[in-house]
Amino acid sequence: HTLRSHRGPIFSLKWNKTGNYLLSGSYDKSTIVWDVSGDVGFVKQQFNFHEAPALDVDWKDDVTFASCSTDMAVHVCQVGSDRPLRSYAGHADEVNAVKWDPSGTLLASCSDDCSAKVWDLTKSGSEPLHDFKSHKQEIYTIKWSPTGTGSKNPTKPLLLATASFDGSVRLWNVQDGSCYRVLSRHRDSVYSVAFSPSGDYLASGSLAGQLYVWNVEQGVHVRSFKGKGDIFEVAWNVEETRVASCFSSNVVEVIDFRI
């Protein structure tokens, strides 16, 4: 398949769980759901609700997804519907990322306005369930823990991690909206975070090449690695024995992790 319909660079790409649809978000302000179930991929539906480049997309289920944009808006859309199911306009600057929690009912978004917000799709209205404003600089990325309802670790509490250019990572309890942990060893912008498969550990990588692995419950770092260049992404293996990080210096480092 070569899928051509966007008129600008494509920033984000996600498969739905079934694997029949591919979702893309572009600088051309649109998001596209592609049907790739047959021999030839085609545009199932193009969504033109954003007024500026679409930066991130994330599936809620096989036909419903969220998108965010530099236009400060977050939209929840559905294949077959010609208007958003929900639109959230609470941010005051570019929205960098959107992520659904494991249950598919809570949507998190983060922004250059230094806030992260959690939206509850089961409730009507345009106000967020939580509005996290403790960071001092832009929040580039957010990640849900693989815990709570709908996850493989249903008895553990659900947490949201926010990573900021202020050098801190914050873990939020979404039951009561409190800040559960502040992880503040980084001296430079934190560009990427990843929970381990059990949810017991969190890896974070900074633009100075510093990788930390944290014990979530204790809020302490248990591993560190310093590489050359900036870290743009961190990732765990399924067995929770290795952490990989990729660098601006053209290398990928794989660190053994066993407590």
Side-chain angles (χ1 to χ4, degrees):
H1 301 289
T2 301
L3 306 174
R4 304 180 192 278
S5 201
H6 280 299
R7 297 176 178 271
I10 299 159
F11 293 138
S12 53
L13 195 65
K14 299 279 169 63
W15 291 95
N16 70 352
K17 281 193 178 71
T18 300
N20 59 323
Y21 289 155
L22 196 55
L23 170 64
S24 57
S26 169
Y27 184 82
D28 68 10
K29 308 176 188 177
S30 79
T31 55
I32 293 179
V33 172
W34 308 84
D35 189 322
V36 287
S37 57
D39 293 335
V40 179
F42 61 92
V43 175
K44 177 71 176 177
Q45 190 170 351
Q46 186 161 9
F47 300 84
N48 295 296
F49 304 132
H50 286 296
E51 297 172 7
L55 296 181
D56 196 23
V57 292
D58 196 39
W59 288 103
K60 168 179 160 64
D61 53 43
D62 271 340
V63 294
T64 314
F65 67 90
S67 63
C68 65
S69 165
T70 60
D71 67 4
M72 305 185 280
V74 174
H75 295 306
V76 180
C77 302
Q78 195 167 63
V79 175
S81 179
D82 60 1
R83 62 184 59 190
L85 302 182
R86 294 284 175 86
S87 292
Y88 299 117
H91 283 292
D93 207 333
E94 298 186 6
V95 185
N96 294 315
V98 281
K99 296 280 184 297
W100 294 98
D101 82 318
S103 74
T105 57
L106 299 178
L107 177 67
S109 59
C110 67
S111 168
D112 281 358
D113 68 8
C114 309
S115 81
K117 302 183 194 300
V118 176
W119 314 89
D120 186 346
L121 243 71
T122 64
K123 292 179 167 60
S124 59
S126 58
E127 292 301 309
L129 175 68
H130 299 302
D131 194 357
F132 301 133
K133 292 182 171 178
S134 301
H135 282 292
K136 302 292 187 283
Q137 292 185 47
E138 298 94 326
I139 303 174
Y140 182 73
T141 190
I142 45 178
K143 290 286 172 64
W144 290 100
S145 58
T147 54
T149 306
S151 76
K152 292 180 178 178
N153 308 291
T155 60
K156 296 178 183 177
L158 177 66
L159 298 172
L160 179 70
T162 57
S164 171
F165 286 4
D166 67 13
S168 74
V169 176
R170 289 174 181 264
L171 303 179
W172 305 90
N173 180 330
V174 290
Q175 300 304 119
D176 59 13
S178 64
C179 185
Y180 178 70
R181 292 282 181 266
V182 181
L183 311 176
S184 54
R185 272 187 88 83
H186 285 289
R187 293 181 181 155
D188 300 273
S189 299
V190 183
Y191 210 72
S192 57
V193 287
F195 281 96
S196 67
S198 68
D200 291 342
Y201 300 97
L202 180 82
S204 61
S206 80
L207 292 187
Q210 183 68 57
L211 171 77
Y212 288 121
V213 179
W214 309 83
N215 179 304
V216 168
E217 189 175 357
Q218 296 172 3
V220 296
H221 87 285
V222 291
R223 284 284 187 283
S224 64
F225 177 85
K226 183 75 164 71
K228 184 182 176 186
D230 302 330
I231 297 177
F232 290 135
E233 193 75 271
V234 291
W236 289 85
N237 68 340
V238 174
E239 295 81 12
E240 203 166 289
T241 56
R242 290 172 149 193
V243 184
S245 51
C246 59
F247 289 78
S248 59
S249 54
N250 310 346
V251 299
V252 174
E253 299 280 4
V254 180
I255 295 98
D256 279 325
F257 176 75
R258 290 180 180 84
I259 291 297

